[in-house]
Amino acid sequence: MPTKNNKNSFSLKDLADKIGGTVDGDGSLVINSAAPIDIASSGDITFIANEKYLKHLASTNASAVILDDKIEASNLSIIRHKNPYLAFALVLDILYPELPDVATGIAPSAILEDATAIDSSARVGALCHIRSGAKIGKETRLVSSVFIGKNVEIGDNCILYPGVRIMDGCTLGNNVSIHSSTVIGSDGFGYAESDTGLKKIKQIGNVIIEDHVEIGANCTIDRGALGPTQIGIGTKIDNLVQIAHNVQIGRHSIIVAQVGISGSTKIGNGVILAGQVGVAGHIEIGDGVMAGGQAGVTKSVKAGTKVFGTPARELMKSKRIEAILSRLPDMYKRLKKLEEEK
Amino acid sequence: MPTKNNKNSFSLKDLADKIGGTVDGDGSLVINSAAPIDIASSGDITFIANEKYLKHLASTNASAVILDDKIEASNLSIIRHKNPYLAFALVLDILYPELPDVATGIAPSAILEDATAIDSSARVGALCHIRSGAKIGKETRLVSSVFIGKNVEIGDNCILYPGVRIMDGCTLGNNVSIHSSTVIGSDGFGYAESDTGLKKIKQIGNVIIEDHVEIGANCTIDRGALGPTQIGIGTKIDNLVQIAHNVQIGRHSIIVAQVGISGSTKIGNGVILAGQVGVAGHIEIGDGVMAGGQAGVTKSVKAGTKVFGTPARELMKSKRIEAILSRLPDMYKRLKKLEEEK
Amino acid sequence: MPTKNNKNSFSLKDLADKIGGTVDGDGSLVINSAAPIDIASSGDITFIANEKYLKHLASTNASAVILDDKIEASNLSIIRHKNPYLAFALVLDILYPELPDVATGIAPSAILEDATAIDSSARVGALCHIRSGAKIGKETRLVSSVFIGKNVEIGDNCILYPGVRIMDGCTLGNNVSIHSSTVIGSDGFGYAESDTGLKKIKQIGNVIIEDHVEIGANCTIDRGALGPTQIGIGTKIDNLVQIAHNVQIGRHSIIVAQVGISGSTKIGNGVILAGQVGVAGHIEIGDGVMAGGQAGVTKSVKAGTKVFGTPARELMKSKRIEAILSRLPDMYKRLKKLEEEK
């Protein structure tokens, strides 16, 4: 969706009013699109997400920028907002209000089994397969080739992108978005040893996804062995994330791409797991914990702690070790010198 | 599949008899479902998978529990079994005997090309696509939107979940289960340098999956460059695992989620690779090797060895280094002190 | 595709001529297939990709082998070529010229929306879904169940394997291959904090894939937040790779399986990121950089540098630290001894 094709336009004043900001400059400017600061042109509104981009502020061709009260930009009209990033998110929703396009009703090529309960306002795209007993709520959109298993319950205003598979018995709340080819409710990985090899432990639990959760593409969230695997309200999960059986994730947590969380682990509220983090099974990660990229979290972590490395250590401890690691060859030489001199 | 909807029920004595255990308590108790010990209620049978859950034994509301001879639980009826976890697996199969539901025969929306050989007892679900020359064995189930490439051979009693893709020429034995969106037989990653860029090495091998293998969701198992990529009998593979071209995995090995195995590496029998392990190419991992989570295995590993870390080191060596790493800042101070005092 | 079923055959002299090599031995030998050196038999041509396989040269049953001028093999007929691996790639294309088989035209089960522009020589397989405004170039093949979003543009001679999803507005150049279940143009992972939780930043950019790019199975390449995510000419990407929004990758780079690249990072030309590497956001990786397996690249890296470890360090520095880490327990003892002796 090239930003320049946008047909919506607003005055800067209009935009500011709608998002609770104030104009500093020419409120009559017409804004019809948004662009990154370094490539923006006339008609664009832009913002600064990372201080590395401050250098572009003087030279940008954008018509306007969203800033907090501290940053000056005399060459541009400004929307002032205490949270510029949030303000920009709100502006994007105003300029680009479209949802993924799916025709109303149920596509002729979709396969519906008996006894489904699909709200009349839901939209089911081409080549979807909805099994018996499934319920789909108001205004929910299945874009294409979505699989909905038996007795699955999906709430209102959900968006399921092409190739999403929701396996039997799982439930999604309202306003849940799931990106392409993600699998919800695959079997957990459990086997008992026996004389003839590994005996599968039948996985009879399900997955419960609460309201306002977003899950990226090609993720796997396994059903619980006996009870549920559960993702709490507002939690956001990036691509290629693995969530094993019986995991419980709290509210408003952020799970970045390629993270893996092992079975039965509990993740608190407001937790941030950076990319490629691995978390061991049967442990508890407290509220507000932050784990740095590729950390290997092998033990429970108390609320509010920042951890890094494998095995994961508390931030300051990890930094101290890291700093000295660089001096290790030097330390070795100095140790040798001391031995020789003694 | 909420456990409480189960319609099957058995007396505790019946269950014990069927799995080769003995009753310690009231054999007439009616059991109709299974549940985790901390949320079980009347009618449930439960078990203890991890000693962390022993604390729930006194307070559980389950009707019965499966235990070995060593653990006491005077408040509950017990099935005694020398391998409680295996016993629980067997009980689950009795209480929940259902396979993934697929209607008999071939769904009208499935696309079958010429010259396929699909056993009359096989079940092909909606929107599957089976290409010419493919063979599908007895009682095998393709749940939905499964792709079976040209000349693929699939044995008996296999289960292929929605969105599985088996590319041309690959073969699956009997009793193989593959979870959603896993790709078997994608091209291996091989290129030769040339003056005009990277020249693809055409990948003309295939993938051979032996009997009783289970593969999780969203995995990728590449076809061999020239010969096969092969997964041995009874090996179990979790989600999001990458297996490169020409890899050979032995029997009864366990490959946990997000592991990556590079090209032409041989993995023995009974190997356990924990989550997010990476294994270099063209090496051999002996029988019974265990690699800890996130290990980076860069060299061949002898049978029976446990390795940890990146680059992977033998367990005891790795532990010793790890222990001293925590003292590294202290070591540095002590070294400095010695230098100052000399 | 078992190599032995091949129907094409050529004399060794023919093959040598076609690829710019010379025959050393019997040019009239008939070659009809290619095989790994250790399992090759009569009629096969083989090669040596890795010096570990040199030991098989004396005992192979292959009819011929491709070698450079330095290696002798008196028992075999030889094609001499200055770049044997490239020569082997060229021979494979001659012996096995087939592309993935898709019937000409548009399969009856494919769903085409209005106003698509599909070249008459393109081939659209079963159960594909092509949305309005999409363009598909000459000789491009969509094997099965491929999703092409609105206004997507796909060039000539592309191959999209089963289950590939190209989301709205993304563009692919010519000669692009994408393997099964890969998602191009899923939403980038961007949220702003708000009083009520994490507010999604609408992702309105797209993905631009240039000519001669190959992308493996089950990858995720997110659309840019505002502008494009871009993959340069000739770059090759393995399976299960995550490329976040706004990432720019240059030409002829190699991204091995399970790599993750965070948002807005720039990767140069001719870069090699080995398996499971993680790259932080908003940094620059210069031309020709090589990152070892599982490296965690947290800072920008200058052109031509080799880095290893987490956090990634320059190769020699990393090796020195690594070497001394093994002696760390010994160092600790020696330090203690010095203290006791002083």
Side-chain angles (χ1 to χ4, degrees):
Chain A
M1 11 180 154
T3 60
K4 296 305 152 201
N5 290 345
N6 196 34
K7 288 166 199 152
N8 303 303
S9 72
F10 298 85
S11 74
L12 193 63
K13 175 75 167 57
D14 260 10
L15 285 179
D17 287 350
K18 283 173 191 290
I19 66 171
T22 55
V23 173
D24 180 355
D26 178 4
S28 69
L29 271 173
V30 175
I31 302 297
N32 53 33
S33 52
I37 191 162
D38 51 340
I39 63 168
S41 58
S42 179
D44 286 338
I45 189 164
T46 191
F47 79 118
I48 307 242
N50 184 305
E51 62 184 20
K52 288 186 184 177
Y53 298 89
L54 268 174
K55 63 185 177 194
H56 296 293
L57 199 52
S59 60
T60 183
N61 292 316
S63 291
V65 61
I66 303 175
L67 295 172
D68 63 20
D69 287 341
K70 290 166 214 145
I71 300 173
E72 283 310 315
S74 57
N75 57 322
L76 288 164
S77 288
I78 301 167
I79 292 180
R80 296 287 181 189
H81 195 283
K82 63 181 177 178
N83 184 343
Y85 197 41
L86 175 60
F88 190 68
L90 297 170
V91 162
L92 285 172
D93 284 355
I94 296 165
L95 289 172
Y96 305 91
E98 298 83 3
L99 294 175
D101 181 55
V102 186
T104 53
I106 291 167
S109 60
I111 306 293
L112 267 65
E113 297 185 1
D114 294 343
T116 59
I118 301 174
D119 188 88
S120 61
S121 64
R123 298 169 182 225
V124 175
L127 301 164
C128 291
H129 180 193
I130 302 178
R131 303 214 58 183
S132 61
K135 293 182 187 170
I136 296 180
K138 292 175 190 166
E139 301 290 349
T140 283
R141 293 170 184 226
L142 280 52
V143 179
S144 177
S145 294
V146 170
F147 175 83
I148 303 295
K150 296 181 81 168
N151 303 313
V152 165
E153 296 189 18
I154 297 178
D156 301 339
N157 301 308
C158 294
I159 301 172
L160 304 192
Y161 285 89
V164 165
R165 328 270 176 201
I166 313 291
M167 307 303 290
D168 295 0
C170 296
T171 72
L172 276 61
N174 300 319
N175 300 293
V176 171
S177 293
I178 304 184
H179 291 273
S180 285
S181 297
T182 278
V183 180
I184 307 291
S186 36
D187 275 1
F189 193 66
Y191 302 90
E193 290 188 21
S194 82
D195 294 343
T196 56
L198 297 159
K199 164 71 189 145
K200 183 179 176 76
I201 312 288
K202 199 152 186 174
Q203 304 290 303
I204 62 171
N206 70 347
V207 179
I208 299 172
I209 310 278
E210 296 182 0
D211 295 350
H212 296 287
V213 168
E214 183 160 15
I215 300 174
N218 276 333
C219 292
T220 54
I221 302 186
D222 281 350
R223 65 178 57 245
L226 295 169
T229 301
Q230 193 150 0
I231 315 290
I233 291 175
T235 283
K236 310 299 182 187
I237 296 175
D238 201 350
N239 299 330
L240 290 166
V241 167
Q242 150 71 359
I243 297 184
H245 54 185
N246 313 323
V247 166
Q248 309 245 337
I249 301 180
R251 298 174 171 210
H252 307 300
S253 288
I254 293 177
I255 314 292
V256 181
Q258 296 177 318
V259 164
I261 303 175
S262 304
S264 301
T265 280
K266 283 190 184 176
I267 309 280
N269 303 317
V271 169
I272 300 176
L273 304 180
Q276 298 183 334
V277 163
V279 183
H282 297 276
I283 64 176
E284 294 198 21
I285 309 300
D287 293 347
V289 165
M290 210 231 88
Q294 295 188 328
V297 185
T298 55
K299 295 176 187 170
S300 291
V301 180
K302 281 187 189 156
T305 312
K306 292 183 181 175
V307 296
F308 281 79
T310 301
R313 293 184 168 91
E314 187 275 323
L315 174 64
M316 288 315 298
K317 194 165 187 182
S318 172
K319 275 196 174 172
R320 274 195 299 266
I321 292 172
E322 199 46 53
I324 293 179
L325 265 184
S326 290
R327 304 192 213 165
L328 203 52
D330 176 56
M331 273 178 75
Y332 186 74
K333 277 183 214 155
R334 285 157 65 182
L335 178 64
K336 227 171 150 185
K337 189 157 173 256
L338 281 176
E339 288 174 330
E340 286 160 6
E341 290 172 356
K342 90 177 165 192
Chain B
M1 13 179 154
T3 62
K4 296 305 151 202
N5 290 347
N6 196 34
K7 289 165 200 154
N8 303 303
S9 71
F10 298 84
S11 74
L12 193 63
K13 176 74 167 59
D14 260 9
L15 285 178
D17 288 349
K18 283 174 191 286
I19 65 170
T22 55
V23 172
D24 181 355
D26 179 4
S28 71
L29 270 173
V30 175
I31 302 297
N32 54 32
S33 52
I37 191 162
D38 51 339
I39 63 168
S41 58
S42 179
D44 287 336
I45 189 164
T46 190
F47 79 118
I48 308 242
N50 185 305
E51 62 182 20
K52 288 185 183 177
Y53 298 88
L54 268 174
K55 63 185 176 193
H56 297 293
L57 199 51
S59 59
T60 183
N61 293 317
S63 290
V65 62
I66 303 175
L67 295 172
D68 63 22
D69 285 344
K70 291 164 214 147
I71 300 173
E72 282 312 313
S74 57
N75 56 322
L76 289 165
S77 288
I78 301 168
I79 292 181
R80 297 285 183 189
H81 195 283
K82 62 181 175 176
N83 184 342
Y85 197 40
L86 174 60
F88 190 68
L90 298 171
V91 162
L92 285 173
D93 284 355
I94 296 166
L95 289 173
Y96 305 91
E98 298 84 4
L99 295 175
D101 181 54
V102 187
T104 52
I106 292 167
S109 60
I111 307 293
L112 268 65
E113 298 186 1
D114 294 342
T116 58
I118 301 174
D119 188 88
S120 61
S121 64
R123 298 169 183 224
V124 175
L127 301 165
C128 291
H129 180 193
I130 302 179
R131 304 216 55 185
S132 62
K135 293 182 187 169
I136 296 180
K138 293 176 190 165
E139 301 290 349
T140 283
R141 293 170 184 226
L142 280 53
V143 179
S144 177
S145 294
V146 171
F147 175 83
I148 303 295
K150 296 181 81 169
N151 303 313
V152 164
E153 296 189 18
I154 296 177
D156 302 339
N157 301 309
C158 293
I159 300 172
L160 304 193
Y161 286 88
V164 165
R165 327 270 177 202
I166 315 291
M167 306 304 289
D168 294 1
C170 295
T171 72
L172 275 62
N174 300 318
N175 300 294
V176 170
S177 292
I178 304 184
H179 291 272
S180 286
S181 297
T182 278
V183 180
I184 307 291
S186 36
D187 275 0
F189 193 66
Y191 302 90
E193 291 189 20
S194 82
D195 294 343
T196 56
L198 297 159
K199 164 71 191 144
K200 183 179 175 77
I201 312 289
K202 200 152 185 175
Q203 304 290 304
I204 61 172
N206 70 346
V207 178
I208 299 172
I209 309 279
E210 296 182 0
D211 296 350
H212 297 288
V213 168
E214 182 159 16
I215 300 174
N218 275 333
C219 292
T220 54
I221 302 187
D222 281 351
R223 66 177 55 244
L226 295 169
T229 302
Q230 194 151 359
I231 314 291
I233 292 176
T235 284
K236 311 299 183 188
I237 297 175
D238 201 350
N239 299 330
L240 290 167
V241 168
Q242 151 70 0
I243 297 185
H245 54 184
N246 313 323
V247 166
Q248 308 246 338
I249 301 181
R251 298 174 170 210
H252 307 300
S253 288
I254 294 177
I255 314 291
V256 181
Q258 296 177 318
V259 164
I261 303 175
S262 305
S264 300
T265 280
K266 283 190 185 176
I267 308 280
N269 303 317
V271 169
I272 300 176
L273 303 180
Q276 298 183 334
V277 162
V279 183
H282 296 277
I283 65 176
E284 293 198 22
I285 308 300
D287 294 347
V289 165
M290 209 231 89
Q294 295 188 328
V297 185
T298 55
K299 295 175 186 169
S300 290
V301 180
K302 282 187 188 155
T305 313
K306 291 185 182 175
V307 296
F308 281 79
T310 302
R313 292 184 168 88
E314 187 275 323
L315 173 64
M316 288 315 298
K317 195 165 186 180
S318 172
K319 274 196 175 171
R320 274 196 298 266
I321 293 172
E322 199 45 54
I324 294 179
L325 266 185
S326 290
R327 305 192 213 165
L328 204 51
D330 176 55
M331 271 178 77
Y332 186 75
K333 276 183 214 153
R334 285 158 64 181
L335 178 64
K336 227 170 149 185
K337 188 157 173 257
L338 281 176
E339 288 174 331
E340 287 161 6
E341 292 172 355
K342 89 178 164 188
Chain C
M1 14 179 154
T3 61
K4 298 304 151 201
N5 290 347
N6 196 32
K7 289 165 198 157
N8 303 302
S9 71
F10 297 85
S11 74
L12 193 63
K13 176 74 169 58
D14 261 10
L15 285 179
D17 288 349
K18 283 173 191 288
I19 66 169
T22 55
V23 172
D24 182 355
D26 178 3
S28 70
L29 271 173
V30 175
I31 302 298
N32 53 32
S33 52
I37 192 161
D38 51 339
I39 64 169
S41 58
S42 179
D44 287 337
I45 189 163
T46 190
F47 78 118
I48 307 243
N50 185 304
E51 62 183 19
K52 288 185 184 176
Y53 297 88
L54 268 174
K55 63 185 178 195
H56 297 293
L57 200 51
S59 60
T60 183
N61 293 316
S63 290
V65 63
I66 304 175
L67 295 173
D68 62 22
D69 287 342
K70 290 166 214 145
I71 300 172
E72 283 310 315
S74 57
N75 57 323
L76 288 166
S77 289
I78 301 167
I79 291 181
R80 296 286 183 188
H81 195 284
K82 63 181 177 178
N83 184 342
Y85 196 40
L86 174 59
F88 190 69
L90 297 171
V91 162
L92 286 172
D93 284 356
I94 296 165
L95 290 172
Y96 305 91
E98 298 83 5
L99 295 175
D101 182 54
V102 186
T104 53
I106 291 167
S109 60
I111 307 293
L112 268 64
E113 297 186 0
D114 295 342
T116 59
I118 301 175
D119 188 89
S120 61
S121 64
R123 298 169 182 224
V124 175
L127 301 165
C128 291
H129 180 194
I130 302 179
R131 304 214 56 184
S132 62
K135 293 181 187 170
I136 296 181
K138 293 175 190 167
E139 302 290 349
T140 283
R141 292 170 185 227
L142 279 53
V143 178
S144 177
S145 295
V146 171
F147 174 83
I148 304 294
K150 296 181 82 169
N151 304 313
V152 165
E153 296 189 18
I154 296 178
D156 301 338
N157 300 308
C158 293
I159 300 172
L160 304 192
Y161 285 88
V164 165
R165 327 271 176 200
I166 315 290
M167 306 304 289
D168 294 0
C170 295
T171 72
L172 276 61
N174 300 318
N175 299 294
V176 170
S177 292
I178 303 184
H179 290 273
S180 286
S181 298
T182 279
V183 180
I184 308 290
S186 36
D187 276 0
F189 192 67
Y191 302 90
E193 290 189 20
S194 81
D195 294 343
T196 55
L198 297 160
K199 164 70 190 146
K200 182 179 177 75
I201 312 290
K202 199 153 185 174
Q203 304 289 303
I204 62 170
N206 71 346
V207 179
I208 299 173
I209 310 279
E210 297 182 0
D211 295 350
H212 296 286
V213 168
E214 183 159 15
I215 301 174
N218 275 333
C219 293
T220 54
I221 302 187
D222 281 349
R223 66 178 55 245
L226 295 169
T229 301
Q230 193 151 0
I231 315 290
I233 292 175
T235 283
K236 310 300 184 187
I237 296 175
D238 201 350
N239 299 330
L240 289 168
V241 167
Q242 150 70 359
I243 297 185
H245 54 183
N246 314 322
V247 166
Q248 309 246 337
I249 301 181
R251 298 175 171 209
H252 307 300
S253 287
I254 293 176
I255 313 293
V256 180
Q258 295 178 318
V259 164
I261 303 175
S262 305
S264 301
T265 279
K266 282 189 184 177
I267 309 280
N269 303 316
V271 168
I272 300 175
L273 304 180
Q276 297 184 334
V277 163
V279 183
H282 297 278
I283 64 175
E284 294 198 22
I285 308 300
D287 293 347
V289 165
M290 212 230 87
Q294 293 188 329
V297 185
T298 56
K299 295 176 185 170
S300 291
V301 180
K302 283 187 188 156
T305 312
K306 291 183 182 175
V307 297
F308 281 80
T310 300
R313 292 184 169 90
E314 188 276 322
L315 174 63
M316 287 316 298
K317 195 165 186 181
S318 172
K319 275 195 174 171
R320 274 195 298 267
I321 293 172
E322 199 46 53
I324 293 180
L325 266 184
S326 289
R327 304 193 214 165
L328 204 52
D330 175 56
M331 272 177 76
Y332 186 75
K333 276 183 214 154
R334 285 157 64 181
L335 178 65
K336 227 172 149 184
K337 188 157 174 258
L338 281 176
E339 289 174 331
E340 286 161 7
E341 290 173 356
K342 90 178 165 191

